[in-house]
């Protein structure tokens, strides 16, 4: 099966050099997606004892000895023959037998849809793209038209099932997430949200939504014969939208989507009681994606540019800037400022970063090659303004949402570091995994600031498995801790430090391999816990144990999102006293986005950024100046 699919993969792809980037195969390969998916293995359930042993090992560097000894007893009891662990494991294995993926529904539910904090900052990642060379409305709209055309070009690959299958090493990856990106939207609930996806409905969406000056419009992007509108025609339509919304004199209804989910869930029901409002909201939900045409962002130049851009992408800068120009529930929102600021924000429930950046890479390539050739004038439907009837209650809710969002914006301390000294090249030269090198650098930076290790999360892809999402690579290990403690110890020789660095890096790489093969501990432990809830047995003590709370309190939450383009993804910390670090390692440099909360007295993004930069540089110096490394 894989052999056949691989051959099919080679047939499709991108045709370059003819001015435009076009999908080679415009014909549908009906059934290819399903055939590929069915060939993927199911996610395994790791062995109980393996997870218990590994759980104790990951606690070692982050939990005090006394607490750990108590946890050891609890774990021993949990996994004893005939005990609760064994019973839950059997239930989980049974669940795995009857499901496409025993974890994916549970994961989407618990990690995203049951999560009640605002999606803004707390869940939805932003992506900063390289600055574009324009600083006026004209340039903005010309580029926006090309961007739309680029996304539609990618959509053709999805619709025709001709998207090249991705691989990790030689293993083909699950492509499902690509089918969840377009025409989908999160819908708030009173206690739990849901996601609607119109891509596969009998009447697939043919419009996008455009947000301009806090007003929303639907723009039909296909001609009546099913072909996409030309760049020229798209540009004309965007001009019409902007001409009919010259001022931000309307209520920024979109800002409601930035609220706490329970609050928004309640307001949502009020809002859609009105039929006009309901139709407007549904038009946004059904649309292929949203394009946000933003106004200029102040102070966005020089050294600060990337950080300002990251803030614009992640939250829009506050109610006085562009936050009202969003519908944060929408899965994909491309953002284009009048000053050339460019990027996107995506709602996380349907997908992880890698498919998003693959789409972005395609769009960037497309916009570089495409030109705005003049298209013959044809009558085009006028873009439709989405109207909202705002009652005094809804107006009050909007005011509250503005206030709450501005408080969140004030609280986020987000900075982008373009680490220019080296990229993947240096770790590779020293025969080390670049990802592990960066992760150990983060451990060293944190240790230097706090003189201890902390629970650290790195996303690992489970896409080798059908409907796979992520598991956790735990970057704080006994080996990373030995290295960070030794690094600034004048009593240690450099050769000793290099040996410890090598061990730490190997340990990280081996945890990574274990995680991507579905053998990490976090999703398994979550599965056992959720199984206990499902089987209505009391929650085992290992989950109420303080060590478990420490393990789940990720003071550093990280993700590598590599891209062909020179972009960087960013997101907020997952705990009040933590850091988030997202990075795109290029060959010669590394783009990193670091965030923390201003209200936390213990964290400081600028200090962390400095510490990361110094840690990476010091690690290189150590390797370069140690005789063994020179060989
Ligand atoms: N010597 C020399 N080169 C090495 C090496 C070594 N010891 N180890 C690795 N390399 C090379 C690799 O071959 C690779 O080469 P390439 O640049 O030509 O592709 C490169 O270094 C990168 O490898 P590495 O740094 O080890 O990372 P990775 O590409 O294997 O990625 C993860 C590791 C964890 C990021 C990846 O497996 C993953 O799961 N990604 C998904 C994360 C995700 O979903 N994030 C989204 C959250 S929203």
């Amino acid at each position: 099966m894989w052999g056949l699919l691989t051959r099919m993969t080679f047939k499709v792809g991108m045709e370059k050099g003819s001015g435009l980037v076009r999908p080679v195969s415009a014909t549908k390969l009906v059934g290819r997606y399903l055939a590929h998916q069915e060939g993927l293995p199911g996610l395994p359930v790791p062995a109980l004892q393996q997870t218990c042993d590994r759980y104790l090992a990951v606690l070692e560097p982050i939990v005090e000895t006394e607490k750990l000894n108590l946890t050891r007893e609890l774990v021993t009891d949990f996994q004893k023959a005939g005990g609760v662990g064994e019973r839950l494991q059997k239930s989980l294995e049974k669940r795995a037998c009857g499901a496409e993926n025993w974890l994916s529904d549970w994961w989407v539910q618990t990690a995203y849809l049951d999560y009640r904090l605002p999606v803004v900052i707390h869940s939805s990642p932003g992506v900063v793209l390289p600055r574009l060379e324009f600083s006026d409305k004209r340039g903005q709209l010309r580029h926006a038209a090309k961007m739309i055309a680029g996304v539609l070009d990618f959509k053709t690959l999805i619709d025709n099932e001709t998207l090249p299958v991705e691989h990790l090493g030689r293993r083909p990856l699950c492509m499902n997430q690509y089918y969840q990106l377009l025409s989908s939207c999160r819908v708030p609930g009173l206690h739990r949200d849901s996601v609607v996806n119109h891509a596969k409905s009998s009447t697939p969406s043919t419009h996008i939504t455009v947000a301009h000056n806090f007003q929303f419009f639907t723009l039909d992007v296909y001609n009546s014969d099913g072909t996409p509108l030309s760049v020229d025609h798209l540009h004309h339509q965007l001009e019409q939208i902007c001409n009919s919304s010259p001022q931000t004199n309307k209520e920024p209804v979109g800002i409601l989507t930035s609220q706490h989910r329970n609050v928004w869930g309640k307001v949502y029901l009020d809002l859609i009681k009105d039929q006009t409002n309901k139709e407007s909201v549904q038009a946004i939900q059904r649309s292929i994606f949203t394009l946000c045409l933003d106004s200029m962002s102040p102070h966005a130049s020089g050294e600060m540019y990337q950080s300002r851009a990251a803030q614009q992408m992640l939250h829009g800068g506050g109610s006085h800037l562009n936050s009202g120009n969003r519908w944060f529930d929408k899965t994909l929102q491309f953002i284009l400022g009048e000053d050339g600021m460019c990027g996107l924000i995506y709602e996380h429930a349907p997908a992880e970063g890698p498919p998003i950046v693959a789409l972005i890479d395609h769009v960037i390539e497309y916009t570089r090659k495409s030109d705005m050739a003049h298209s013959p004038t044809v009558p085009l439907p006028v873009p439709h303004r989405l109207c909202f009837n705002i009652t005094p209650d809804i107006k009050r809710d909007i005011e509250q949402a503005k206030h709450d969002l501005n408080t969140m914006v004030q609280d986020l301390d987000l900075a982008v570091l373009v680490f220019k000294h080296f990229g993947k090249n240096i770790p590779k030269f020293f025969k080390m995994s670049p990802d592990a090198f960066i992760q150990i650098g983060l451990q060293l930076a944190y240790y230097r600031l706090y003189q201890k290790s902390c629970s650290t999360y790195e996303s690992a892809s489970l896409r080798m498995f059908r409907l796979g999402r992520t598991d956790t690579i735990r970057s704080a290990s006994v080996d990373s801790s030995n290295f960070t403690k030794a690094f600034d110890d004048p009593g240690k020789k450099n050769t000793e430090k290099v040996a410890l660095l090598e061990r730490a890096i190997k340990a990280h790489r081996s945890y990574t391999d274990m995680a991507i093969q579905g053998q990490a501990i976090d999703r398994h432990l979550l599965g056992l816990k959720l199984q206990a809830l499902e089987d209505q047995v009391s929650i085992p003590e290992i989950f109420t144990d303080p060590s478990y709370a420490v393990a789940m309190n990720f003071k550093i939450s990280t993700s590598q999102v590599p891209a062909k383009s020179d972009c960087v993804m960013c997101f907020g910390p997952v705990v009040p006293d933590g850091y988030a670090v997202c990075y795109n390692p290029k060959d010669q440099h590394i783009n990193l986005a670091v965030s923390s909360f201003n209200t936390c007295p213990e964290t400081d993004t600028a200090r962390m950024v400095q510490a990361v930069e110094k840690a990476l540089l010091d690690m290189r110096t150590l390797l370069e100046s140690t005789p063994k490394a020179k060989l």
Side-chain angles (χ1 to χ4, degrees):
M1 173 70 79
W2 285 344
L4 170 71
L5 288 165
T6 311
R7 281 200 297 280
M8 290 166 88
T9 313
F10 285 127
K11 279 190 198 159
V12 297
M14 299 294 138
E15 183 186 63
K16 293 182 184 167
S18 59
L20 281 182
V21 180
R22 284 205 183 89
V24 173
S25 169
T27 48
K28 276 181 185 276
L29 288 178
V30 179
R32 174 175 178 265
Y33 164 72
L34 268 184
H36 167 68
Q37 290 297 112
E38 278 162 15
L40 294 171
L43 181 69
V45 179
L48 183 63
Q49 197 193 333
Q50 173 185 295
T51 293
C52 289
D53 292 348
R54 287 176 175 171
Y55 174 52
L56 291 173
V58 305
L59 293 179
E60 252 183 76
I62 54 173
V63 171
E64 301 101 66
T65 316
E66 244 174 70
K67 261 195 206 159
L68 188 56
N69 287 338
L70 287 176
T71 305
R72 280 203 181 97
E73 286 172 25
L74 294 179
V75 171
T76 306
D77 189 52
F78 178 71
Q79 64 172 329
K80 72 178 178 216
V84 63
E86 215 174 64
R87 287 201 298 280
L88 293 174
Q89 175 77 2
K90 280 202 181 112
S91 291
L92 204 53
E93 284 166 357
K94 210 164 137 203
R95 176 185 168 92
C97 279
E100 255 201 291
N101 181 313
W102 64 264
L103 172 67
S104 54
D105 286 350
W106 265 349
W107 177 246
V108 171
Q109 208 64 51
T110 44
Y112 302 111
L113 304 178
D114 288 348
Y115 189 67
R116 304 323 283 160
L117 286 183
V119 290
V120 183
I121 296 173
H122 297 288
S123 178
S124 298
V127 183
V128 182
L129 297 178
R131 186 175 200 162
L132 296 162
E133 281 171 16
F134 58 75
S135 54
D136 58 11
K137 196 96 216 155
R138 192 165 165 268
Q140 181 188 29
L141 298 194
R142 286 171 75 91
H143 194 84
K146 290 182 195 176
M147 271 176 89
I148 299 171
V151 184
L152 296 180
D153 193 62
F154 195 80
K155 184 174 181 296
T156 308
L157 297 177
I158 296 175
D159 292 346
N160 287 354
E161 304 189 32
T162 50
L163 201 60
V165 170
E166 291 171 335
H167 289 76
L168 194 60
R170 306 174 103 208
R171 302 267 301 262
L173 298 183
C174 174
M175 299 298 285
N176 176 264
Q177 290 180 34
Y178 285 98
Y179 293 80
Q180 313 304 324
L181 298 181
L182 299 172
S183 311
S184 75
C185 194
R186 183 165 172 149
V187 181
L190 289 176
H191 304 291
R192 164 179 282 194
D193 294 356
S194 54
V195 172
V196 284
N197 186 324
H198 296 280
K200 291 251 152 81
S201 79
S202 52
T203 50
S205 320
T206 54
H207 69 277
I208 65 165
T209 29
V210 179
H212 181 244
N213 279 339
F214 306 168
Q215 294 154 67
F216 292 88
F217 294 81
T218 58
L219 164 54
D220 265 308
V221 287
Y222 289 96
N223 294 302
S224 50
D225 63 358
T227 56
L229 254 55
S230 67
V231 173
D232 190 28
H233 288 157
L234 287 166
H235 178 252
H236 172 77
Q237 296 293 71
L238 292 174
E239 273 182 333
Q240 294 229 44
I241 288 173
C242 291
N243 291 340
S244 65
S245 51
Q247 286 174 338
T248 53
N249 56 354
K250 293 277 189 300
E251 287 296 338
V253 65
I255 216 152
L256 291 170
T257 60
S258 69
Q259 263 293 13
H260 186 281
R261 303 307 296 177
N262 290 351
V263 175
W264 171 217
K266 191 166 168 295
V267 175
Y268 179 79
L269 292 181
D270 281 350
L271 184 75
I272 62 167
K273 269 187 206 150
D274 177 287
Q275 190 56 26
T276 303
N277 294 349
K278 189 174 179 177
E279 283 166 14
S280 295
V281 169
Q282 283 177 346
I284 297 173
Q285 291 169 343
R286 287 185 64 87
S287 64
I288 301 167
F289 62 92
T290 297
L291 170 72
C292 307
L293 295 172
D294 275 11
S295 58
M296 299 259 180
S297 309
H299 320 299
S301 57
E303 291 257 297
M304 290 304 291
Y305 174 77
Q306 295 268 7
S307 301
R308 287 271 179 273
Q311 290 153 13
Q312 281 299 310
M313 298 311 141
L314 205 58
H315 51 59
S319 64
H320 55 293
L321 284 175
N322 292 302
S323 303
N325 215 35
R326 309 276 185 273
W327 193 266
F328 287 108
D329 289 352
K330 191 70 194 156
T331 306
L332 269 184
Q333 299 197 86
F334 287 87
I335 299 165
L336 199 54
E338 216 173 303
D339 45 8
M341 202 176 260
C342 182
L344 96 164
I345 178 166
Y346 75 95
E347 199 290 299
H348 212 329
E352 262 73 55
I356 307 277
V357 292
L359 189 158
I360 291 174
D361 283 340
H362 182 91
V363 172
I364 290 185
E365 187 73 4
Y366 188 96
T367 54
R368 279 200 192 119
K369 304 263 164 114
S370 79
D371 226 344
M372 221 171 72
H374 182 72
S375 307
T377 312
V378 290
L380 294 168
V382 178
H384 173 67
R385 182 195 296 275
L386 296 176
C387 296
F388 287 94
N389 294 319
I390 305 296
T391 62
D393 277 355
I394 298 288
K395 167 125 182 71
R396 198 197 55 223
D397 294 327
I398 290 175
E399 290 308 312
Q400 186 63 46
K402 279 188 197 171
H403 171 269
D404 294 351
L405 177 79
N406 291 340
T407 307
M408 286 200 300
V409 165
Q410 286 299 314
D411 195 17
L412 188 74
D413 187 5
L414 168 64
V416 170
L417 164 68
V418 180
F419 180 81
K420 295 190 180 127
H421 310 278
F422 59 86
K424 290 191 282 186
N425 55 344
I426 289 293
K428 280 187 186 178
F429 174 79
F430 288 104
K431 311 255 177 302
M432 292 173 168
S433 148
D435 184 69
F437 190 91
I438 295 167
Q439 286 289 332
I440 300 305
L442 295 176
Q443 290 299 307
L444 179 57
Y446 189 89
Y447 184 82
R448 281 173 162 174
L449 294 180
Y450 299 96
Q451 287 75 53
K452 60 182 176 190
S453 298
C454 69
S455 192
T456 308
Y457 183 112
E458 183 190 359
S459 327
S461 176
L462 287 178
R463 285 178 58 208
M464 276 188 195
F465 305 100
R466 200 180 314 135
L467 303 185
R469 296 291 300 258
T470 58
D471 206 325
T472 311
I473 303 164
R474 287 184 169 267
S475 311
S477 64
V478 170
D479 292 305
S480 72
S481 167
N482 289 341
F483 167 69
T484 55
K485 279 181 196 154
F487 196 91
D488 294 319
D489 180 347
K492 294 268 191 265
K493 291 199 187 102
N494 276 0
T495 45
E496 225 176 311
K497 293 179 190 175
V498 169
L500 289 171
L501 173 59
E502 282 172 345
R503 281 188 72 131
I505 284 190
K506 276 199 184 117
H508 188 84
R509 187 61 232 183
S510 99
Y511 203 116
T512 301
D513 290 337
M514 173 179 106
I516 60 180
Q517 283 156 26
Q519 298 295 327
I521 62 166
D522 278 81
R523 304 300 181 263
H524 187 201
L525 288 173
L526 175 75
L528 292 165
K529 191 173 156 194
L530 293 175
Q531 194 63 55
L533 285 172
E534 199 152 295
D535 293 352
Q536 298 185 339
V537 297
S538 51
I539 296 290
E541 272 186 275
I542 57 161
F543 298 117
T544 52
D545 173 32
S547 297
Y548 186 69
V550 173
M552 300 315 287
N553 193 52
F554 292 106
K555 291 202 181 187
I556 312 181
S557 169
T558 74
S559 190
Q560 180 190 144
V561 183
K564 283 191 200 131
S565 50
D566 199 10
C567 66
V568 65
M569 191 171 270
C570 53
F571 48 85
V574 296
V575 296
D577 54 349
Y579 293 99
V581 185
C582 194
Y583 51 94
N584 174 15
K586 309 291 291 174
D587 284 337
Q588 309 283 339
H589 69 279
I590 308 168
N591 298 328
L592 300 105
V594 181
S595 69
S596 65
F597 293 117
N598 284 316
T599 40
C600 174
E602 287 100 47
T603 54
D604 181 337
T605 296
R607 279 185 71 213
M608 184 63 168
V609 163
Q610 262 184 358
V612 171
E613 186 156 34
K614 183 162 169 23
L616 293 173
L617 281 171
D618 288 353
M619 282 161 59
R620 177 180 74 175
T621 306
L622 171 72
L623 290 170
E624 285 176 346
S625 60
T626 308
K628 177 183 176 288
K630 278 185 181 158
L631 289 174

